[in-house]
Amino acid sequence: METTAELLTPLAQPGITGSPTLSVLMRFLVLRYYAQYYSFCSIGKDFLEDLPVGRILLPADAQLESRLLHAIDSGCQAFVVDEPGVALFLELYISVHDMARQRSLDKRLILLVTQQNRPELFQLLRSHDAFRELPNVLIIVYDGEASQPTALFTTYVTTSDVLQRSVNVSLEQLPIDWTDWEGCSFFPDTTSDLKGYVLRTSTLNYMPFTGFERVEVGAGNAFDSETGERSIWLDGTELQLLVAFCELRNCNILVFPDDEDTWGEVYPNATGNGLMGSVVERRTDIALGAFYLWLKPYNFSTYTATISRSGVTMLVAKPKMLPFWRTPFLSFSLPLWAAVIVTFFAGSMAAWVAGTVRHRLLLVSGHNNARAGDDATDLIAEQLTLSDAVLMMVGFFVAQSSAVRTDLWSCVFLFATLLLAGFMVSNMYSGGLASIMTVPQYEKSIDTVRDFAATGMTWYGPTPYCLAEISSATEPHLQQILKTYIPCGIEEMGVYARKGVGGFVIEQAQHGNFAPSDFLDRASSSTLQPLKDFVFTQNCAALMTNTNPLRSDLNAYILAVQQSGLLYHIGTLSAIRYLPTDVMRNIERARMHSHGDGAIRLEIGHFLGAFFILGYGLLVAGLVFVGEVWGTMMVRRLNEVFAGKAPHEGSKRCTSRNLSHKDIEGYTVVTNID
């Protein structure tokens, strides 16, 4: 590492005579290290001619910001910056990349510095925050007159305190053997040992994905942003992965917990709150909390490789067991009951019409034959009233015998048909009732998202971003549940869960665990069940700043851990340690009824339906009887009233008329006798 005195004196160069010209060196570096990129940007003079690699030339002037932004969006993934544009480029590097749409990995930077201005520029570079985002930097100090390199440097970022926001940039000279310079490494690996690099991390408690707790000083695996002490223990599938990565790469995790605003919100002016806002405003470098690939934060930040897969479903109320008084009505469905009722009334009317026609035929036949000794009461007994027809159909439907007329073939066909219909209805009802009484019956269960949408119930979740994936859905059932979603806090969700009102967002992790569970307790979890399908599925990733230098290495580490299957082990251990076992067990077994799959014994409650029908029949019969008695009394009183008025008005006339009639009748009789 250079000292200040060394920076101020020309470099003593044993063997420097064998070094290539700056043009040859730059051509070699671009072909070896920049050929992998789509293109690169040259700001100022780059000493390159006739290069078969795509590049974008930019002047170091006042319009560099807009031109650099356009170049990055056009595919510029690495940079060569000459001395006049170094300071301006470093100032614009972070802000321009935050606005850019392209997010390339492993960016490289070559700075060209003249020997004459080396001390001033190095003093600027030593404290510039942009180098915290640039691990692959090569500084070429060259002689402006001879256009030959005199020294090559790379950068390392160090911090004296984890709470310190500014960085210390160490410039380390590369030991280049100019006699064999083509075999040397000009971009050494600076990320395998990050030398205590402070990774500012925001997170929240959202097990089994992320979780933290404060422990004694020195017993944690991360630093607390409030005290600067190693007093936070990180756990969960995502945070354990990050802890293992930092142990491998020698970096420190500084935690910024945010359980108040949780995931937060991002606004169009690149501000926000919560976890997403902390990354967008660059208060932290990375945020972990089972982030889906949401668009709003992606406008100002980026995502890592997929850490796990997750599916969002709902917890809804379990179907309750139907009351026993409904047992007699459960054998048939509603359409079948309607068909039985229509059949009953149609059969009753047909039997009554047939009986009436038959009775009239008997009257006509008896009058024509004029048989001696026929009694009119015999014909009256043959008459079938409407009540007789109804009771006859009831007898057919309950498999009881009824009086059947067989003297007309039409009656034979009719009653034979009614007997067969009643036989089938009776047997179907008996079979259905047998199964209903031995297997418990429940309310209609809400099993799918379509079922839930059909109910029109509201559902609750911790963040409005739960709807981001289905906000533009065209399916009618998804559009319906979009209208009934209400974001609320964990405590409010707990109140609704205990009341059993509506549905609740719940996330199922890749290996079967559920989150969140903070709003559930043992009692409320026993009354809820998850849907059989997902509202949507999504991939979980970490949210990072656009220029985070660890993204490439972290992505590779995530994929390696995914392939090894360690995430399942980490997730299982986290669930065992932190998630309420009884609540998780209740959710997983919510669709397993306690009575099992076998038949149950009949109890007195199974006959409540029959007793209900009996009681209802007695009640109706009693009310009808009272009505009939009351109606008879009223008719009698009305008859007495009208009969009492008639004698007073014409008693004399009626009496004389009656007497005169009798006298005349008697007179006639006497006359005939004489």
Side-chain angles (χ1 to χ4, degrees):
M1 186 164 310
E2 283 198 351
T3 63
T4 306
E6 292 172 340
L7 293 175
L8 296 176
T9 59
L11 180 66
Q13 306 172 33
I16 195 67
T17 56
S19 64
T21 63
L22 185 59
S23 178
V24 172
L25 178 62
M26 287 299 301
R27 183 180 181 87
F28 170 79
L29 292 175
V30 168
L31 292 177
R32 180 173 178 180
Y33 295 101
Y34 281 25
Q36 63 179 340
Y37 298 118
Y38 180 79
S39 66
F40 70 95
C41 290
S42 290
I43 301 175
K45 186 178 180 180
D46 57 5
F47 300 93
L48 294 171
E49 295 180 0
D50 300 330
L51 194 67
V53 178
R55 62 171 173 162
I56 302 174
L57 298 177
L58 301 175
D61 55 13
Q63 298 181 355
L64 179 61
E65 181 177 8
S66 60
R67 291 173 177 174
L68 183 60
L69 176 61
H70 181 70
I72 293 173
D73 285 337
S74 300
C76 176
Q77 300 172 338
F79 307 93
V80 175
V81 184
D82 194 16
E83 182 179 88
V86 170
L88 182 58
F89 171 79
L90 293 178
E91 289 297 324
L92 297 176
Y93 178 79
I94 293 178
S95 60
V96 169
H97 277 85
D98 283 345
M99 294 185 291
R101 298 298 180 186
Q102 293 291 334
R103 295 163 174 81
S104 57
L105 299 172
D106 294 327
K107 294 180 181 291
R108 285 189 169 94
L109 172 63
I110 297 177
L111 298 179
L112 301 176
V113 179
T114 60
Q115 180 68 36
Q116 296 88 334
N117 298 325
R118 169 178 154 184
E120 294 80 3
L121 278 177
F122 274 28
Q123 194 66 28
L124 170 67
L125 301 182
R126 283 183 177 278
S127 59
H128 207 291
D129 291 340
F131 287 102
R132 191 175 183 274
E133 312 289 324
L134 287 165
N136 301 314
V137 178
L138 175 62
I139 303 174
I140 301 177
V141 179
Y142 67 95
D143 185 357
E145 297 178 358
S147 296
Q148 276 192 325
T150 58
L152 279 74
F153 295 86
T154 189
T155 60
Y156 289 96
V157 176
T158 59
T159 55
S160 57
D161 187 1
V162 292
L163 297 180
Q164 181 180 347
R165 301 292 298 186
S166 59
V167 296
N168 299 322
V169 181
S170 301
L171 303 175
E172 183 174 325
Q173 185 173 353
L174 298 179
I176 301 298
D177 183 5
W178 293 109
T179 60
D180 187 24
W181 61 274
E182 292 182 350
C184 297
S185 175
F186 291 88
F187 285 93
D189 184 9
T190 58
T191 59
S192 58
D193 183 6
L194 294 172
K195 301 182 182 299
Y197 180 92
V198 178
L199 185 63
R200 297 190 290 265
T201 305
S202 57
T203 188
L204 78 166
N205 278 308
Y206 191 67
M207 282 295 183
F209 300 96
T210 57
F212 67 91
E213 59 178 335
R214 287 181 167 84
V215 295
E216 295 181 359
V217 176
N221 53 12
F223 290 89
D224 190 346
S225 60
E226 296 180 1
T227 62
E229 302 289 345
R230 187 181 288 271
S231 58
I232 285 188
W233 181 263
L234 301 179
D235 213 332
T237 53
E238 297 184 0
L239 289 178
Q240 279 292 328
L241 184 148
L242 185 66
V243 169
F245 173 79
C246 281
E247 290 178 352
L248 181 66
R249 300 279 176 168
N250 187 23
C251 60
N252 296 315
I253 301 175
L254 181 63
V255 180
F256 292 79
D258 196 338
D259 275 337
E260 182 177 353
D261 294 323
T262 60
W263 292 272
E265 181 63 270
V266 175
Y267 305 106
N269 60 350
T271 60
N273 55 16
L275 301 186
M276 293 185 293
S278 68
V279 175
V280 169
E281 295 180 356
R282 286 187 171 267
R283 288 181 275 113
T284 59
D285 305 314
I286 183 172
L288 294 102
F291 280 93
Y292 291 163
L293 305 182
W294 294 321
L295 178 61
K296 277 191 175 181
Y298 186 72
N299 291 328
F300 311 102
S301 54
T302 189
Y303 292 101
T304 63
T306 297
I307 300 176
S308 62
R309 179 196 61 80
S310 179
V312 170
T313 184
M314 294 186 205
L315 285 178
V316 295
K318 283 184 179 180
K320 298 179 181 178
M321 186 179 293
L322 294 176
F324 286 127
W325 66 265
R326 296 180 59 181
T327 300
F329 309 103
L330 298 176
S331 297
F332 293 160
S333 62
L334 184 60
L336 189 54
W337 272 118
V340 170
I341 293 173
V342 170
T343 303
F344 176 81
F345 283 110
S348 300
M349 291 301 298
W352 178 69
V353 171
T356 303
V357 173
R358 172 183 172 277
H359 180 255
R360 291 187 178 182
L361 290 175
L362 290 177
L363 289 176
V364 173
S365 175
H367 178 73
N368 292 334
N369 293 334
R371 289 177 297 176
D374 285 348
D375 193 355
T377 56
D378 295 336
L379 295 179
I380 295 175
E382 293 293 335
Q383 185 178 2
L384 184 67
T385 63
L386 182 58
S387 59
D388 293 335
V390 171
L391 291 177
M392 180 185 297
M393 286 301 301
V394 172
F396 289 159
F397 276 23
V398 297
Q400 298 296 317
S401 61
S402 300
V404 178
R405 275 72 174 180
T406 58
D407 47 1
L408 293 178
W409 278 105
S410 59
C411 293
V412 172
F413 290 134
L414 174 63
F415 290 119
T417 304
L418 295 178
L419 279 171
L420 290 175
F423 173 78
M424 295 190 64
V425 171
S426 176
N427 281 273
M428 290 172 60
Y429 182 82
S430 299
L433 188 62
S435 63
I436 292 298
M437 296 184 72
T438 54
V439 178
Q441 300 299 309
Y442 292 85
E443 298 174 344
K444 184 180 179 181
S445 177
I446 302 175
D447 296 329
T448 64
V449 180
R450 294 181 184 272
D451 294 340
F452 183 82
T455 63
M457 292 191 299
T458 56
W459 56 304
Y460 307 92
T463 172
Y465 281 95
C466 291
L467 305 180
E469 280 69 19
I470 60 173
S471 58
S472 58
T474 57
E475 293 86 344
H477 66 283
L478 295 180
Q479 292 178 344
Q480 171 62 28
I481 65 175
L482 280 172
K483 301 175 184 177
T484 58
Y485 178 77
I486 299 177
C488 59
I490 296 296
E491 295 182 357
E492 191 175 356
M493 288 178 64
V495 173
Y496 290 131
R498 286 187 288 273
K499 293 180 179 179
V501 178
F504 305 92
V505 169
I506 193 167
E507 184 175 359
Q508 187 171 12
Q510 181 173 344
H511 303 295
N513 298 314
F514 291 93
S517 59
D518 299 345
F519 68 96
L520 296 174
D521 53 26
R522 181 182 299 178
S524 60
S525 63
S526 63
T527 62
L528 302 173
Q529 66 178 11
L531 298 181
K532 291 183 178 180
D533 61 353
F534 294 109
V535 179
F536 60 86
T537 57
Q538 191 43 285
N539 295 323
C540 296
L543 188 67
M544 304 184 78
T545 55
N546 284 339
T547 56
N548 195 303
L550 306 183
R551 183 157 63 99
S552 177
D553 295 319
L554 183 57
N555 287 347
Y557 187 75
I558 289 172
L559 296 178
V561 172
Q562 279 275 28
Q563 293 174 354
S564 67
L566 286 175
L567 281 182
Y568 173 75
H569 175 70
I570 297 173
T572 302
L573 291 181
S574 300
I576 293 173
R577 284 196 294 262
Y578 297 101
L579 295 182
T581 306
D582 51 351
V583 172
M584 294 295 106
R585 183 175 59 251
N586 290 339
I587 295 176
E588 292 176 358
R589 299 181 180 180
R591 293 188 174 272
M592 298 173 57
H593 299 302
S594 59
H595 61 78
D597 297 328
I600 62 172
R601 292 183 178 182
L602 295 179
E603 301 175 355
I604 189 64
H606 289 87
F607 298 95
L608 289 178
F611 297 150
F612 172 79
I613 294 176
L614 177 60
Y616 182 76
L618 293 176
L619 177 62
V620 172
L623 294 176
V624 172
F625 176 74
V626 172
E628 288 176 342
V629 171
W630 180 80
T632 302
M633 295 175 63
M634 290 299 296
V635 171
R636 180 180 298 176
R637 289 183 180 180
L638 290 175
N639 289 336
E640 291 177 354
V641 170
F642 289 111
K645 289 182 178 180
H648 291 287
E649 294 177 355
S651 57
K652 294 182 178 179
R653 184 172 51 188
C654 291
T655 303
S656 61
R657 182 182 297 117
N658 291 337
L659 290 174
S660 300
H661 178 71
K662 289 181 180 180
D663 293 341
I664 294 172
E665 185 178 358
Y667 176 76
T668 304
V669 173
V670 171
T671 304
N672 290 336
I673 292 175
D674 293 341

